[in-house]
Amino acid sequence: MKLVKLLANLGYGSRKQVTFMFREGRITDDQGAVLYADDQIEHARIRVDQQPLDPPLGLTIMLHKPIGYTCSTSDHGQIIYDLLPPRFRLRSPILASVGRLDKDTSGLLLMTDDGKLLQRIVHPKSHLSKMYEATLARDLVGNEADIFASGTLMLESERTPLAPARMEAINSRSAKLMLTEGRYHQVRRMFAAVSNHVETLHRSRVGGLALGDLPIGEWRALEEQDLKILFE
Ligand code: URA
């Protein structure tokens, strides 16, 4: 790909603006030699104003989403893109969230610009489990794990029952829930179906990939190894 297109796709500006940046000599290699729009050079050696280039296309990240942020590219309030470098919103293809977390849910959110990978993660055949931790408004009564595991629970306005899900009580007012599907507001609706109410909800794991000690509001790029772990 021509350098000018690469930089435009990474959100450094329109093609016209990027062409101008080349003319100004702002695009160099790692030794400071000025680069031109048609040059072919390894991504890692390119500098813009002496700074290394953003990660190449084919980027997948994990974000520790805080409460209060919407998984959307435009909203009146705070959105997940506010937590990323501003240029990331201008990348083409865009870094899209893999599924969604509610505004009031925190935790592990994957984002990728790789459409095939996104489809693979969300495809039901991938059976990627998601682990949630919920705190509840009322004490667990004891039959919730059996109801969720039954594979017969019907949520309001759904046509098919939920797939079996595994629940483990942490204490009387909190539980871990492992889901293999991602229906709208699923965890909140599941607890509502057993006459409870989710007060806080956090996702700690997707597939084999855990949030680990990634601080709230921060993100990191995933490596090959992370993607392997994700599908384990
Ligand atoms: N279930 C919910 O209710 N909300 C989420 O954000 C994710 C799963």
Side-chain angles (χ1 to χ4, degrees):
M1 188 187 296
K2 283 190 177 175
L3 272 185
V4 66
K5 185 167 187 323
L6 172 70
L7 266 71
N9 285 352
L10 290 176
Y12 283 86
S14 64
R15 288 225 197 179
K16 201 168 161 191
Q17 288 165 327
V18 172
T19 304
F20 207 70
M21 288 165 74
F22 277 100
R23 287 214 196 111
E24 290 177 316
R26 292 169 59 193
I27 322 295
T28 62
D29 69 10
D30 50 345
Q31 304 299 312
V34 170
L35 293 173
Y36 296 92
D38 288 338
D39 283 343
Q40 300 274 341
I41 178 171
E42 234 181 289
H43 193 102
R45 293 189 52 211
I46 304 169
R47 301 287 181 271
V48 178
D49 298 331
Q50 286 97 46
Q51 299 303 311
L53 214 50
D54 287 348
L57 298 172
L59 175 65
T60 302
I61 67 167
M62 70 153 80
L63 171 69
H64 187 161
K65 180 193 164 307
I67 288 170
Y69 286 77
T70 309
C71 294
S72 157
T73 48
S74 58
D75 195 87
H76 295 306
Q78 295 166 303
I79 58 174
I80 48 174
Y81 292 93
D82 296 339
L83 300 161
L84 306 176
R87 252 196 316 268
F88 279 23
R89 208 181 305 191
L90 305 173
R91 288 167 70 108
S92 175
I94 188 145
L95 207 55
S97 75
V98 181
R100 283 165 181 241
L101 288 177
D102 299 339
K103 186 174 179 183
D104 294 332
T105 303
S106 61
L108 198 171
L109 183 71
L110 295 174
M111 298 180 76
T112 186
D113 61 19
D114 180 339
K116 278 196 184 142
L117 177 67
L118 191 150
Q119 286 310 320
R120 192 174 159 214
I121 297 171
V122 299
H123 199 284
K125 278 194 184 149
S126 293
H127 296 298
L128 276 196
S129 60
K130 289 148 219 144
M131 170 85 87
Y132 293 91
E133 280 137 38
T135 62
L136 304 164
R138 287 179 272 285
D139 284 351
L140 290 161
V141 296
N143 61 357
E144 294 87 347
D146 289 341
I147 294 173
F148 294 161
S150 68
T152 59
L153 180 62
M154 279 292 261
L155 295 180
E156 225 178 283
S157 68
E158 297 269 343
R159 286 162 184 260
T160 53
L162 294 181
R166 215 173 75 212
M167 192 207 92
E168 225 177 84
I170 300 170
N171 57 43
S172 62
R173 288 278 179 108
S174 63
K176 284 186 184 181
L177 189 57
M178 181 101 91
L179 303 185
T180 53
E181 42 183 6
R183 304 200 198 185
Y184 180 67
H185 289 336
Q186 185 167 342
V187 177
R188 293 174 205 277
R189 290 164 74 212
M190 285 172 77
F191 279 104
V194 292
S195 306
N196 212 323
H197 175 78
V198 169
E199 287 199 322
T200 68
L201 186 59
H202 177 80
R203 182 158 75 188
S204 54
R205 184 179 285 271
V206 175
L209 203 60
L211 196 51
D213 52 11
L214 185 67
I216 192 152
E218 306 227 336
W219 64 276
R220 75 171 176 87
L222 298 190
E223 315 277 341
E224 275 295 303
Q225 184 61 17
D226 294 308
L227 294 177
K228 253 197 213 153
I229 293 171
L230 173 68
F231 289 104
E232 264 171 12

